[in-house]
Amino acid sequence: MSYIAPEIREKFESLSVNLKNTILERNVRIQNIHDLIKVLEDIVAEDE
């Protein structure tokens, strides 16, 4: 189960529904903006 820290929740909620669902499916812990950026970079890299 993925975890999104309260400090980053507002940024996470600004993402599209599809992108949020993709992140949540990965069972990641997002504690800060750097964690969020890393997950987004991974998603982009897989799409290329």
Side-chain angles (χ1 to χ4, degrees):
M1 176 182 230
S2 290
Y3 170 78
I4 312 298
E7 298 82 9
I8 198 71
R9 172 103 20 214
E10 186 177 332
K11 299 280 189 215
F12 178 77
E13 291 299 332
S14 71
L15 301 171
S16 72
V17 171
N18 288 341
L19 192 49
K20 287 190 286 191
N21 287 337
T22 300
I23 292 169
L24 292 174
E25 289 169 0
R26 292 173 171 262
N27 297 322
V28 292
R29 285 187 66 83
I30 298 178
Q31 301 277 61
N32 54 51
I33 190 70
H34 302 292
D35 294 342
L36 180 58
I37 290 169
K38 174 68 173 119
V39 173
L40 293 172
E41 287 174 341
D42 291 346
I43 292 169
V44 169
E46 290 170 9
D47 236 18
E48 293 179 341

